[in-house]
Amino acid sequence: MAQFGVDIDVAFQGAGAKPGLEIWCVDNGRLVLVPRSSCGKFYSGNAYLILYTSLLKDGTPQHDIHYWLGSNGNELDSRLASDKALELDAALGSHAVQYQEVQGQETEKFLSYFKPCIIPVEGFFSARTQNGGSRKYEPTLFTCKGHHVAHVKEVIFARSSLNHNDVFILDTENKLFLFCGCNSSIQERAKALEVVQFLKESKHNGSCDIATIDDGKFVGDSDVGEFWSFFGGYAPIPKDVPASLQEHGNCSTVKLFWITTQGKLCQTGSDIVSKEVLHSNKCYLVDCDTQLFVWMGRNTSVTERKTSLTTVENFLRSQEKSAVTPLTFLTEGLETALFKSYFVDWPQKIETKLYSEGREKVAAIFKHQGFHVEELPDENDDAPMSMDFSGQLKVWLVGGDDTTLVTDAVIKLYTGDCYILQYIYRDNGREESIFYAWLGKQSAIEDKAFAVSCMFHMVNSAKGDPVVAKFAEGQESLEFSFILKTSIIFKGGIGKRYKEFVANKGVADETFDDSKTALFRVQGTSPYNIQAIQVDQVSNSLNSSYCYILKTQKSTFTWLGRLSSARDHDLLHKMLDMINPSWQPTLVREGNEPDEFFSALGGKAEYPTEKYFVGYREDPHLFICKSFEDVQILFSIKSYLTVNHGYSCNMAMMCNIGDLEVKEIFNFSQDDLTTEDVFVLDCHHEIYIWIGRHSKIGSKENALNLGLKFIGMDVLDRKMTVDAPIYVVTEGCEPPIFTRFFEWDSLKANMLGNSFERKLAILKGKPEKLEAPLRSSWKAYSAETTSNSSRSVNGVKSVPPAIDSNGSASRSSEMRRFSSPAPISRNGLEGISVRDRGSGTEYQESTPQSAAKLQNDHNELDPNLPVYPYERLKVMSDDPVVDMDSTRREAYLSEEEFQEKFGMSKTSFYKLPKWRRNKLKMALHLF
């Protein structure tokens, strides 16, 4: 909340006390608070000050300040708005980031506050008079750009304003027309429909007609004829360069200037800038060509900061830079990831969160007792409540060239082995699965690669769209511990490859047995997620926050840390029974240990005595991944693991993402998850890859590689490890651990069609026409499909799902459970069978011996099929073939071209297992 002071405008008293928007307009040289009913209505003749306050999950308020300058505003009002932005920042304790917004060039962060859009009004704001009276309704033409926020701008009402790249809205008295340029994207058209809805409600009281006009369509449609009649009749629009091919300038140099108290600029250093040159008692200008930053040290005054603003404005004029160049003001300690990316090796600093009042008191008690307490654990983490944890868990040990089903009641994992886990649960009346690959820290490189490969083979063999996750030991998510319920992580291993490693290297086998001394740390937040982790049997492994079990050859001790709770003690006793109920322990409290205890640990030594705060989950960030046109499939697992982990192996299964571009979506919602795209939800300790049904990404393996590449980019500058948990989820099959980050509407999630078709159906009040009667597998969708089961974006027909006699999709496949497969061998990976124990039905992936027969049953080698050239058969063809089965494009190739593209005959190709055929087809854009 803004603190009132001598230098602070009285208009700011109490500002920022509540989450949401607060807007002031400069009116006659003073700030006037804009009524909430008028928020989002901006006059082009004024300047505005906008404060957006949000509460983070830890309860801390976050402030962003924007000052908006209308295109017809005067310089005095603009200067006052920028000065007041600095005053407001000071009133809020200098904890806000400030952005300059210019009409027509607003940032996406700013526009995200006013969904679906802002449409500036000609004229001036007045606190004393409001618009009144009526006038003749004049047709208005708007251009609408943007996929996730709408940049709406009124343009001259003339045919010359139209083009092929953009989407336009013609607002007439009785009808709203949406004109879609032939080069505009589906996402852009969908976003424009939201603007159409906004105009319908705000300007027509919800009672006007809506028509959509396709660029180039001018015959046989009355709406098209009516649209062109407003422009004096139809005439061709001149050709222009598609927006996707237009070049965008990149920042080539970075210049750093010190701003003196007299407002002069002094260039500092070279083009390579370092954090060390920034001093807390100075202000600096960072010129990145396409945008400017002003960095203000914490010890600078409001007067110095206002001087900096004037200096920057003079700099823009002297350098003949555009007046709409993005300008951001940052206070020391609040630097954005983008700003830090222009500096060399910006130091990573993690500041301890402030205590709440209650925690401060408890922490003070501990400190008074001589313990160093950084923060206290949060007992109310809501993550375990995000989904049902009463499902069924299956675990397979990956060892050497095969897998073995683990049947122990207590999950026992070994740090020298890898495991595949399948968790089966019910959600919204459906049976769902999550597959995990758990990679032990000391496991062999080959086992890690084979575990990932086997997991994806299981996923591809399973029905529906299971969620896929990859965990490294020590990086597991909290919900994973609830899925395991009770687990023990032992040193050593029981797998074939670990045993071979011990034998070949001549090293000691650390695998636990009763004859060895072992130390276990017990942890968990409830009886439903207890873990015992074997740690090094030395005193340094102890920690006052935990309880431990020490097993020697002669005795067993249970050790209670001073900072452990009664709940921890209960969990300790439960776990002791799980490990070995025959052990008779001696209870030891910290500080009263017998000599035998520390002797077993190699002597007494220093160990941590602090209690760390588990903490609130930080607010997630959503990013759209933009570049998948050049995705190449059939990238070897060797390259994949070498690039991301430094591994080396021979298994082939992964793909290459190529260059990855990401853009953050601010103030995101479920509606931002457009079906044509792929998104990364960055939750700080884990990431989720969301795959839209109509996205161009080829497989979940590809998505996993994308997640690793995203982590490597370090967009948020948090130095996240590549071992962080990665989930891959598909549209329509999102688990509760993903949907908890949204206000989720399952009806929207189950709609078919592309983004435009869905929005249009909702706008016209007919969403049920695009609702999927039952969940359809994402595998049935690819980049070429749309909601219409007989149509694709290239005009290629696709095969609709099977419909039963009642008109609904067959749900037998939905209810089948993926049960324990036979042990997987490296040489016989394609021979896995899956049996439904309830029905006795068996699903078999084809082996090389049976593949030919299986494919002949599907007429894959039909000699009567027509022959088409490769360029017309590939997914993104400029001249696609119509009336073909898009699920087997390769079958229409001639024998000669098939041999050229695939390097084998059709007969040899169809003898391969299905998963491998699909990989080859995706590599050639035929899947």
Side-chain angles (χ1 to χ4, degrees):
M1 183 176 70
Q3 301 296 317
F4 183 72
V6 176
D7 297 327
I8 305 301
D9 195 308
V10 67
F12 296 143
Q13 191 168 12
K18 297 180 180 180
L21 280 169
E22 294 171 84
I23 303 177
W24 297 265
C25 180
V26 179
D27 183 24
N28 292 323
R30 64 188 182 89
L31 288 182
V32 176
L33 185 64
V34 175
R36 288 190 177 275
S37 59
S38 298
C39 285
K41 186 175 184 179
F42 294 89
Y43 288 86
S44 63
N46 292 99
Y48 291 80
L49 185 63
I50 299 94
L51 171 64
Y52 181 74
T53 302
S54 58
L55 283 180
L56 303 180
K57 288 187 180 296
D58 62 0
T60 304
Q62 178 174 288
H63 306 290
D64 287 287
I65 298 173
H66 305 255
Y67 56 95
W68 185 89
L69 311 178
S71 58
N72 298 324
N74 60 64
E75 187 174 345
L76 288 177
D77 285 355
S78 299
R79 175 66 60 80
L80 180 60
S82 58
D83 286 348
K84 292 299 181 182
L86 290 168
E87 287 185 21
L88 179 56
D89 180 35
L92 295 169
S94 296
H95 289 302
V97 178
Q98 302 161 56
Y99 304 86
Q100 174 183 278
E101 308 287 349
V102 179
Q103 181 178 342
Q105 300 293 329
E106 296 87 354
T107 64
E108 294 201 357
K109 188 179 186 73
F110 175 77
L111 292 175
S112 70
Y113 307 145
F114 305 99
K115 291 183 178 181
C117 66
I118 63 168
I119 302 178
V121 180
E122 292 295 322
F124 299 88
F125 170 87
S126 174
R128 294 177 296 276
T129 61
Q130 298 296 327
N131 291 335
S134 60
R135 59 186 178 86
K136 184 179 178 181
Y137 202 98
E138 297 292 340
T140 309
L141 184 64
F142 299 98
T143 180
C144 187
K145 300 181 180 181
H147 291 183
H148 293 276
V149 294
H151 295 264
V152 181
K153 179 182 179 182
E154 184 177 350
V155 295
I156 298 173
F157 181 36
R159 182 188 289 107
S160 59
S161 294
L162 302 174
N163 62 59
H164 298 293
N165 290 334
D166 299 322
V167 180
F168 295 85
I169 300 172
L170 176 60
D171 181 9
T172 69
E173 186 172 6
N174 298 313
K175 185 177 287 189
L176 285 162
F177 296 88
L178 180 69
F179 176 85
C180 303
C182 59
N183 294 328
S184 62
S185 67
I186 292 174
Q187 301 96 313
E188 205 162 30
R189 299 176 189 184
K191 180 56 63 174
L193 281 174
E194 295 181 18
V195 179
V196 169
Q197 177 68 30
F198 170 74
L199 291 172
K200 178 180 178 180
E201 299 296 334
S202 62
K203 298 184 67 176
H204 297 270
N205 296 319
S207 61
C208 70
D209 295 329
I210 294 172
T212 57
I213 310 298
D214 291 330
D215 185 8
K217 182 179 179 181
F218 55 93
V219 177
D221 192 316
S222 59
D223 288 330
V224 173
E226 185 179 358
F227 172 79
W228 287 111
S229 69
F230 285 97
F231 298 92
Y234 173 78
I237 300 173
K239 291 184 178 180
D240 47 17
V241 180
S244 60
L245 301 180
Q246 296 175 357
E247 294 185 0
H248 300 277
N250 294 318
C251 178
S252 57
T253 61
V254 178
K255 297 177 182 178
L256 179 66
F257 299 90
W258 165 43
I259 305 174
T260 69
T261 54
Q262 293 77 32
K264 295 182 179 180
L265 290 175
C266 300
Q267 187 165 357
T268 303
S270 61
D271 291 345
I272 300 177
V273 293
S274 173
K275 167 67 169 64
E276 282 67 28
V277 303
L278 302 177
H279 297 284
S280 297
N281 59 347
K282 296 180 180 180
C283 294
Y284 296 85
L285 169 65
V286 182
D287 178 11
C288 305
D289 284 352
T290 56
Q291 57 186 326
L292 301 176
F293 295 91
V294 175
W295 185 88
M296 303 171 293
R298 282 205 172 274
N299 298 332
T300 56
S301 65
V302 174
T303 302
E304 290 177 290
R305 299 178 184 187
K306 288 183 178 180
T307 301
S308 299
L309 179 58
T310 303
T311 303
V312 172
E313 292 173 349
N314 294 334
F315 175 79
L316 285 170
R317 285 190 290 266
S318 65
Q319 298 295 313
E320 297 183 350
K321 289 182 177 286
S322 170
V324 298
T325 301
L327 176 59
T328 305
F329 289 82
L330 299 162
T331 303
E332 181 181 0
L334 299 172
E335 298 85 0
T336 61
L338 177 61
F339 175 80
K340 290 187 283 188
S341 69
Y342 293 111
F343 288 75
V344 177
D345 297 329
W346 189 280
Q348 181 76 1
K349 182 180 179 182
I350 302 176
E351 295 185 358
T352 303
K353 299 288 185 182
L354 294 177
Y355 303 120
S356 64
E357 182 179 356
R359 288 180 181 158
E360 275 188 346
K361 294 178 180 178
V362 178
I365 294 173
F366 280 117
K367 289 182 179 180
H368 181 70
Q369 295 177 349
F371 295 98
H372 175 61
V373 181
E374 292 192 357
E375 294 192 31
L376 297 178
D378 181 24
E379 304 291 347
N380 298 314
D381 197 306
D382 61 351
M385 303 304 294
S386 62
M387 67 179 292
D388 175 20
F389 292 101
S390 61
Q392 179 185 1
L393 179 65
K394 299 178 182 179
V395 183
W396 292 270
L397 167 67
V398 176
D401 297 335
D402 54 26
T403 62
T404 305
L405 183 66
V406 178
T407 58
D408 296 338
V410 177
I411 304 300
K412 298 177 181 178
L413 307 176
Y414 289 82
T415 191
D417 297 325
C418 294
Y419 296 83
I420 300 170
L421 303 93
Q422 182 194 13
Y423 181 64
I424 305 168
Y425 66 100
R426 297 196 67 81
D427 183 43
N428 291 326
R430 300 188 311 218
E431 190 173 81
E432 306 283 5
S433 288
I434 304 177
F435 280 88
Y436 299 90
W438 187 90
L439 313 178
K441 287 181 180 179
Q442 305 302 320
S443 60
I445 295 169
E446 294 82 359
D447 275 355
K448 292 176 180 177
F450 191 56
V452 175
S453 177
C454 287
M455 177 183 67
F456 278 115
H457 188 83
M458 290 181 180
V459 169
N460 292 335
S461 301
K463 302 300 179 180
D465 279 316
V467 175
V468 177
K470 180 191 74 69
F471 286 167
E473 180 189 347
Q475 299 289 329
E476 302 89 350
S477 63
L478 182 61
E479 51 267 8
F480 183 69
S481 67
F482 275 84
I483 288 174
L484 295 181
K485 292 183 175 60
T486 303
S487 60
I488 307 171
I489 299 178
F490 290 101
K491 285 177 171 286
I494 58 175
K496 176 181 177 182
R497 192 158 276 118
Y498 176 80
K499 297 301 183 184
E500 290 177 350
F501 169 79
V502 171
N504 295 336
K505 297 294 183 179
V507 298
D509 188 346
E510 294 185 294
T511 307
F512 172 77
D513 63 54
D514 282 350
S515 65
K516 298 178 180 177
T517 298
L519 181 65
F520 297 90
R521 183 179 72 242
V522 179
Q523 60 189 41
T525 61
S526 78
Y528 306 105
N529 68 334
I530 314 175
Q531 280 187 319
I533 301 174
Q534 186 178 357
V535 296
D536 294 338
Q537 52 265 23
V538 293
S539 299
N540 302 98
S541 297
L542 299 175
N543 189 308
S544 299
S545 304
Y546 296 101
C547 296
Y548 292 79
I549 299 171
L550 174 61
K551 173 67 175 67
T552 69
Q553 295 180 0
K554 298 180 179 180
S555 307
T556 303
F557 298 92
T558 52
W559 187 84
L560 310 181
R562 288 186 178 178
L563 299 182
S564 61
S565 65
R567 180 202 62 188
D568 296 328
H569 304 165
D570 292 338
L571 298 182
L572 173 68
H573 297 306
K574 290 180 182 296
M575 180 53 70
L576 186 67
D577 291 337
M578 297 291 181
I579 297 178
N580 193 327
S582 66
W583 290 351
Q584 298 298 319
T586 300
L587 179 64
V588 175
R589 295 186 180 273
E590 182 178 3
N592 297 307
E593 301 88 352
D595 293 339
E596 182 185 355
F597 179 84
F598 280 114
S599 295
L601 298 179
K604 193 171 183 179
E606 295 292 329
Y607 57 82
T609 58
E610 66 270 15
K611 182 100 172 181
Y612 290 101
F613 178 29
V614 175
Y616 294 90
R617 296 198 173 208
E618 297 183 63
D619 291 69
H621 296 258
L622 183 68
F623 297 88
I624 182 173
C625 302
K626 299 176 62 178
S627 295
F628 299 105
E629 290 79 5
D630 298 325
V631 171
Q632 298 297 320
I633 310 301
L634 210 63
F635 182 73
S636 70
I637 189 69
K638 176 179 179 180
S639 300
Y640 155 68
L641 291 172
T642 300
V643 170
N644 295 292
H645 293 282
Y647 300 159
S648 175
C649 64
N650 297 316
M651 292 298 297
M653 52 84 63
M654 270 298 182
C655 58
N656 183 18
I657 293 297
D659 292 332
L660 176 63
E661 297 179 7
V662 299
K663 182 175 71 172
E664 184 167 5
I665 308 300
F666 299 100
N667 298 304
F668 62 84
S669 66
Q670 181 185 355
D671 290 336
D672 288 308
L673 299 175
T674 44
T675 186
E676 296 80 16
D677 297 309
V678 175
F679 292 83
V680 175
L681 184 67
D682 187 336
C683 302
H684 296 268
H685 300 295
E686 61 205 21
I687 66 172
Y688 295 81
I689 313 299
W690 184 89
I691 307 173
R693 283 192 181 121
H694 299 86
S695 64
K696 297 178 183 178
I697 197 165
S699 64
K700 291 184 178 180
E701 299 97 315
N702 195 6
L704 179 62
N705 196 34
L706 182 154
L708 290 166
K709 192 156 192 173
F710 175 85
I711 291 174
M713 294 174 67
D714 196 19
V715 179
L716 296 177
D717 191 43
R718 290 180 287 102
K719 307 297 185 292
M720 181 186 288
T721 172
V722 294
D723 289 332
I726 301 176
Y727 292 86
V728 179
V729 303
T730 52
E731 181 183 9
C733 303
E734 298 87 351
I737 56 176
F738 176 83
T739 59
R740 62 194 165 106
F741 296 106
F742 301 82
E743 292 184 5
W744 197 258
D745 184 346
S746 58
L747 295 180
K748 289 182 180 179
N750 290 324
M751 287 188 71
L752 297 177
N754 61 39
S755 300
F756 178 75
E757 292 167 329
R758 296 179 188 184
K759 293 283 178 66
L760 186 61
I762 293 174
L763 186 59
K764 293 189 174 183
K766 301 176 181 179
E768 66 279 357
K769 288 190 175 182
L770 290 180
E771 286 183 11
L774 289 172
R775 180 191 62 186
S776 298
S777 172
W778 170 76
K779 301 168 189 175
Y781 291 82
S782 62
E784 77 264 16
T785 59
T786 67
S787 66
N788 189 334
S789 60
S790 64
R791 200 184 82 200
S792 77
V793 294
N794 288 325
V796 180
K797 289 186 177 181
S798 59
V799 180
I803 305 296
D804 64 19
S805 59
N806 295 322
S808 61
S810 172
R811 80 178 282 166
S812 61
S813 62
E814 299 291 342
M815 300 308 295
R816 292 167 183 159
R817 174 173 298 180
F818 180 75
S819 302
S820 309
I824 303 173
S825 67
R826 180 178 300 234
N827 297 325
L829 186 63
E830 60 277 358
I832 299 177
S833 65
V834 183
R835 179 175 295 276
D836 187 325
R837 295 178 180 174
S839 63
T841 305
E842 181 169 315
Y843 309 97
Q844 179 84 25
E845 275 291 330
S846 60
T847 61
Q849 293 75 20
S850 62
K853 178 181 183 302
L854 197 63
Q855 296 310 318
N856 281 329
D857 291 341
H858 290 82
N859 296 318
E860 297 283 10
L861 294 173
D862 186 353
N864 298 319
L865 283 177
V867 174
Y868 297 106
Y870 168 74
E871 291 301 324
R872 294 194 63 194
L873 292 170
K874 64 182 183 179
V875 171
M876 303 304 291
S877 174
D878 294 329
D879 181 24
V881 177
V882 296
D883 298 324
M884 73 165 181
D885 184 352
S886 62
T887 64
R888 52 185 187 129
R889 296 169 181 270
E890 78 289 346
Y892 297 90
L893 288 170
S894 66
E895 285 289 350
E896 294 77 12
E897 194 165 16
F898 192 100
Q899 181 73 38
E900 176 189 347
K901 297 296 183 182
F902 286 91
M904 65 184 76
S905 66
K906 287 186 179 180
T907 302
S908 299
F909 174 79
Y910 290 122
K911 289 182 180 180
L912 297 174
K914 188 174 182 180
W915 66 270
R916 190 175 176 191
R917 296 199 306 272
N918 289 342
K919 297 292 186 188
L920 292 171
K921 288 162 62 176
M922 286 188 285
L924 294 170
H925 304 286
L926 292 173
F927 185 78

